[in-house]
Amino acid sequence: MGKDLVIVESPAKARTIGRFLGGKYDTKASMGHVRDIPKREMGVKVDDLSFVPKYRVMADKRKIVKEIADAAKSATTVYLATDPDREGEAISWHLIKAAKIDASKVQRVVFHEITDGAVKEAFAHPRDLDDNLIDAQQARRVLDRLVGYELSPVLWKKVRRGLSAGRVQSVALRLIVEREQEIEAFQTEEYWSIEAKLAPKPSRQVFSGSRAARRASRSRTKQRLLRFTGDLEGAGYRVISVRRRERRSKPSAPFITSTLQQEAWRKLRFTARRTMVVAQQLYEGVNVGTGGTTGLITYMRTDSTNVADSALREASAYVKEKFGASFVPKTARRYTKRVRGAQEAHEAIRPTSLFAEPEKVKNHLTPEQFRLYDLIWRRMVASQMNDAVFDATRVDIDAESVVSGSVLKFAGFRKVYMEGTDSSNGKPSEESRDLPPLEDGDALDFIALTPEQHFTQPPPRYTEATLIRTLEEEGIGRPSTYAPTLATVLDRDYARKAKGRFEPTKLGRAVTGLLIQHFPDVVDIGFTAKVEEQLDEIASGQRAWNPMLKEFYQPFNATVQEALEKAERVPSSEIDEESGEVCEKCDSPMVIKSGRFGRFLSCSGFPNCRNSKPLMERVGVECPKDGGDIVERRQRGKGGRKFYGCANYPDCDFTVNRKPLGQPCPECSGLLVEQGRDRCQCRECDYRGPVPEAVDAGELVEA
């Protein structure tokens, strides 16, 4: 009689679970998906509108599938312990089919944290596979294949060879492009404000009062402003009224995927992709010394702010022990995050134990792991603490000035955590302004008058945080799609980052313009959100997947055929970018073009002049030190050796001699570099082996 077999996705997860289960179980990793639709063909039956996908075992997974199949034959029970979402459910289903596992042996186990108690509880209550979740994942995969396989050739024919389009990435790109158009169309207006520096008699503690915003906004030019300043400088100032009230500030909810990605960008400057890589490591397990390898956080792909009752009780006990009873709410805080399609059965992202304080485990974590864990830990603790309490004061002063300030009288959750913001005007907040004691009728000494020029500002370009927030608010994508969607937009060179904000390229503008003109539904925010809702309905058993695909495909296919026939080709002048270089053969400007082997410099005088030369190219991988683009470089001098370095040099000095790969290390999620034709090596751990499969945005789905 063989051991019971447990199958998970990654070696790290396998090791952690294996430690909890003991020697009775044999634990194996599938290394993600083992079957997929073939890349070089549609792979979906569309002639009869059945949309049946054709799956094949991936070439680099055949050995793994055979090992799993052999182990399953001798096992009494096969436990499928893949991740608790649609993608995990589908991976389990594909494993059964690929390895031809006897279905009567199969049990599905699901847990949202990889701890000893959670794992053993899951194994004590296994279930069958959920066909609805599998259907929803298949529907998304087929839908994305239909869009990509039929829409991309339109872009090849009408814009440029080698381009791609996708449902979610195209909408994200549209948001970036339309924000840039808003910025370009914005008309800046000048206005002035007046700030008076005053002091009460006799204390002489100086504070500032601002001219009322209603009057300031009308003073559009300095000339008009000066007519007011003479009267103000000679005026007597007196307190008209002082109003005081208590103001309370509530803590933020525990993290969900989108808010974690937003806050990690604001506070840590982690990209969404890097955030998810590090969170995966914390979830799958870290060796914390005497406690052994254990998961430090709950599952990181979630859109629910629910927290288990046991975790709420632990939080209450922790806060009382560390900060005192006055910081503990009378009842546990429960949050309702208004996310379209949120799966309430899931939990928020939280530490598996608050008593595993960041400083206690710091020596066992990488710097990135520590910083992200500390963020998650503090957010969860703060979410179960009392409100912060302020004494807020508003002072009205004659000459139409007003000043506001607050005094913090009970720190509450702010003793542990304060949420970041997406922008700041650089001025002190109302909460930080310190006011002298003031009462009605107090006379004030005039110190100085400061006119200040302002200009109205256009809406800012999107950062990763604000773009993810917009996608979430509009119901576009799901937790697991945000990071790969943003990465794809950058990898396709549809947008680039300038000072951490997305700026569309000429190519991105051209692609968006063509899609809006000929495929308005594909890039329509409301339509894309509706598709996400339909996928959620399939997952919950409220809708069948075939009719949903049929409803989408028939009009879409007709539009594709019409665009192939009637759409005009985008002129190269609307795509090619200026390089700033001059052709050494004919003195014409050199432009940046894209070809079969990537971007290159070409003479704008083509075809009369056919001069071209290589362009130092991005490799589509983020620098592990600062998140910048890694680019191909050459050492100085003729015949200099090729190497790869961060585009932010000299601010960042990261370099590597071998080409970095976009896929993370399957062992530690670190940076992989090429090692021969089809093998790779990790720079962070001892992993050496085949290049892991690349997973695109359409393949990553959250239940």
Side-chain angles (χ1 to χ4, degrees):
M1 185 76 66
K3 294 182 179 180
D4 286 342
L5 177 63
V6 181
I7 307 175
V8 296
E9 299 98 320
S10 74
K13 188 174 178 181
R15 286 193 295 271
T16 306
I17 292 175
R19 187 175 70 83
F20 296 143
L21 296 177
K24 178 186 172 184
Y25 298 85
D26 183 15
T27 308
K28 291 191 175 295
S30 71
M31 304 296 289
H33 272 284
V34 296
R35 292 200 314 173
D36 196 10
I37 301 171
K39 292 182 178 181
R40 299 188 181 278
E41 59 181 279
M42 169 69 84
V44 176
K45 195 172 182 180
V46 296
D47 52 351
D48 62 354
L49 299 181
S50 66
F51 304 106
V52 175
K54 180 201 299 182
Y55 293 116
R56 290 179 181 168
V57 175
M58 302 167 186
D60 61 336
K61 297 298 180 68
R62 290 170 186 163
K63 182 179 179 182
I64 292 173
V65 169
K66 185 179 185 305
E67 291 175 355
I68 290 174
D70 291 342
K73 289 176 184 177
S74 59
T76 304
T77 305
V78 178
Y79 292 97
L80 299 169
T82 49
D83 286 346
D85 55 18
R86 294 179 203 165
E87 200 73 15
E89 206 76 13
I91 289 173
S92 288
W93 178 73
H94 282 295
L95 279 165
I96 294 173
K97 300 296 184 181
K100 297 180 173 58
I101 301 173
D102 183 350
S104 65
K105 293 183 175 183
V106 172
Q107 294 286 305
R108 174 79 164 112
V109 289
V110 175
F111 37 81
H112 293 268
E113 59 184 73
I114 305 180
T115 58
D116 183 60
V119 170
K120 289 179 178 176
E121 175 70 13
F123 274 78
H125 300 91
R127 63 166 172 81
D128 295 330
L129 263 69
D130 189 324
D131 291 336
N132 293 328
L133 295 182
I134 296 167
D135 286 349
Q137 191 275 342
Q138 286 198 92
R140 177 184 284 275
R141 188 71 189 98
V142 170
L143 184 62
D144 289 337
R145 172 52 63 98
L146 295 174
V147 172
Y149 201 84
E150 295 210 349
L151 194 54
S152 295
V154 177
L155 299 182
W156 300 349
K157 185 175 181 180
K158 306 299 180 179
V159 185
R160 175 185 289 165
R161 293 284 301 177
L163 300 181
S164 70
R167 290 182 312 107
V168 178
Q169 80 177 52
S170 296
V171 175
L173 177 59
R174 178 178 183 169
L175 291 171
I176 294 169
V177 170
E178 290 185 341
R179 175 57 58 87
E180 195 71 18
Q181 292 169 343
E182 289 180 57
I183 294 171
E184 292 169 349
F186 186 81
Q187 298 293 318
T188 298
E189 294 185 16
E190 176 189 15
Y191 68 99
W192 292 73
S193 65
I194 309 170
E195 186 172 80
K197 291 193 178 298
L198 308 169
K201 300 176 180 179
S203 76
R204 302 294 290 174
Q205 181 180 341
V206 178
F207 66 98
S208 297
S210 298
R211 185 75 173 181
R214 175 178 58 82
R215 293 294 295 272
S217 63
R218 292 177 181 173
S219 301
R220 292 291 182 181
T221 65
K222 189 174 183 179
Q223 289 73 24
R224 295 180 62 187
L225 181 81
L226 291 175
R227 290 201 292 267
F228 294 107
T229 57
D231 293 337
L232 291 173
E233 287 177 344
Y237 289 83
R238 185 175 299 274
V239 174
I240 297 175
S241 65
V242 179
R243 286 172 283 179
R244 297 183 177 89
R245 62 182 176 84
E246 185 178 272
R247 190 175 65 79
R248 306 180 77 88
S249 177
K250 297 182 179 298
S252 301
F255 284 125
I256 59 176
T257 302
S258 61
T259 55
L260 175 62
Q261 291 171 348
Q262 292 169 50
E263 193 75 338
W265 168 255
R266 296 182 191 120
K267 291 194 170 183
L268 310 179
R269 278 301 183 256
F270 284 10
T271 63
R273 188 192 312 199
R274 197 65 192 159
T275 297
M276 297 310 290
V277 167
V278 178
Q280 183 91 31
Q281 296 165 2
L282 295 173
Y283 166 70
E284 292 188 342
V286 177
N287 190 329
V288 291
T290 55
T293 301
T294 189
L296 289 180
I297 66 170
T298 53
Y299 192 55
M300 64 286 162
R301 294 189 180 95
T302 177
D303 49 17
S304 172
T305 52
N306 283 348
V307 174
D309 289 342
S310 59
L312 293 176
R313 290 192 295 270
E314 182 191 60
S316 177
Y318 180 86
V319 172
K320 184 176 181 179
E321 176 183 320
K322 296 295 182 180
F323 303 103
S326 62
F327 284 83
V328 183
K330 292 181 179 179
T331 58
R333 292 185 183 272
R334 297 183 185 273
Y335 297 86
T336 302
K337 177 68 177 178
R338 293 179 176 86
V339 175
R340 295 169 68 173
Q343 305 295 300
E344 296 305 319
H346 290 180
E347 264 204 86
I349 305 169
R350 61 169 175 81
T352 54
S353 173
L354 290 181
F355 288 92
E357 296 168 323
E359 289 298 330
K360 289 182 179 178
V361 298
K362 183 176 183 178
N363 291 338
H364 304 286
L365 305 179
T366 67
E368 284 187 329
Q369 289 172 344
F370 170 75
R371 294 173 70 196
L372 191 65
Y373 179 64
D374 184 68
L375 193 68
I376 294 169
W377 185 90
R378 289 180 181 279
R379 178 86 162 214
M380 177 59 195
V381 173
S383 75
Q384 295 303 315
M385 295 177 73
N386 264 326
D387 296 349
V389 183
F390 300 86
D391 274 337
T393 303
R394 175 186 170 95
V395 181
D396 289 311
I397 303 167
D398 56 7
E400 297 189 28
S401 289
V402 64
V403 63
S404 298
S406 295
V407 177
L408 179 67
K409 65 178 186 180
F410 179 69
F413 73 92
R414 290 166 61 105
K415 199 171 184 70
V416 174
Y417 179 84
M418 281 185 62
E419 187 173 31
T421 59
D422 291 316
S423 61
S424 172
N425 58 15
K427 293 187 176 182
S429 66
E430 176 184 308
E431 294 175 358
S432 65
R433 186 176 292 147
D434 189 21
L435 296 178
L438 295 170
E439 300 295 339
D440 293 2
D442 281 356
L444 302 172
D445 281 339
F446 171 78
I447 307 298
L449 197 66
T450 307
E452 187 174 356
Q453 184 185 38
H454 307 274
F455 294 94
T456 54
Q457 297 296 312
R461 292 184 177 121
Y462 287 108
T463 63
E464 290 214 355
T466 56
L467 184 54
I468 290 170
R469 186 180 66 201
T470 301
L471 291 171
E472 180 189 62
E473 289 172 348
E474 297 291 350
I476 306 300
R478 287 297 180 260
S480 62
T481 67
Y482 301 132
T485 294
L486 271 54
T488 300
V489 169
L490 294 171
D491 292 344
R492 302 298 187 198
D493 201 36
Y494 292 154
R496 298 186 189 127
K497 280 187 180 179
K499 297 182 179 179
R501 296 181 180 270
F502 288 95
E503 183 178 0
T505 62
K506 292 180 71 174
L507 178 61
R509 289 173 181 260
V511 168
T512 297
L514 184 142
L515 293 178
I516 290 175
Q517 182 179 357
H518 296 282
F519 299 92
D521 281 351
V522 173
V523 290
D524 179 72
I525 292 174
F527 178 81
T528 307
K530 178 184 175 183
V531 170
E532 294 290 354
E533 291 171 356
Q534 291 174 339
L535 291 169
D536 291 339
E537 290 169 359
I538 295 170
S540 61
Q542 301 174 57
R543 179 186 289 266
W545 70 296
N546 184 277
M548 177 262 191
L549 291 173
K550 183 176 180 180
E551 180 184 342
F552 169 84
Y553 180 72
Q554 287 182 306
F556 171 71
N557 178 256
T559 305
V560 168
Q561 302 308 317
E562 183 179 4
L564 284 169
E565 180 181 347
K566 297 181 179 180
E568 295 183 2
R569 183 172 178 82
V570 176
S572 59
S573 60
E574 295 184 17
I575 305 170
D576 297 338
E577 298 182 33
E578 297 178 0
S579 69
E581 295 191 32
V582 176
C583 176
E584 61 271 22
K585 294 185 177 181
C586 71
D587 293 331
S588 297
M590 299 289 283
V591 294
I592 302 173
K593 291 180 175 287
S594 292
R596 182 179 177 185
F597 300 105
R599 302 205 309 162
F600 62 96
L601 290 172
S602 175
C603 180
S604 61
F606 181 88
N608 296 326
C609 178
R610 296 179 175 270
N611 184 30
S612 64
K613 56 185 179 181
L615 176 71
M616 293 298 98
E617 189 62 277
R618 299 165 62 231
V619 297
V621 178
E622 295 167 353
C623 173
K625 291 188 69 172
D626 71 349
D629 291 326
I630 294 181
V631 296
E632 178 186 304
R633 298 182 181 277
R634 286 191 180 274
Q635 295 174 344
R636 291 183 179 180
K638 186 176 181 180
R641 292 183 60 186
K642 182 192 299 184
F643 69 99
Y644 301 87
C646 182
N648 294 331
Y649 178 84
D651 294 332
C652 178
D653 61 358
F654 175 81
T655 61
V656 64
N657 290 329
R658 286 180 284 177
K659 185 176 181 179
L661 302 177
Q663 302 94 302
C665 172
E667 293 278 357
C668 74
S669 297
L671 179 68
L672 292 177
V673 295
E674 287 184 347
Q675 187 183 40
R677 178 174 297 180
D678 57 1
R679 295 180 64 80
C680 61
Q681 175 182 350
C682 181
R683 297 185 72 254
E684 308 296 331
C685 71
D686 295 332
Y687 176 79
R688 286 177 172 80
V691 178
E693 63 175 304
V695 181
D696 62 36
E699 296 171 332
L700 294 172
V701 188
E702 168 63 32

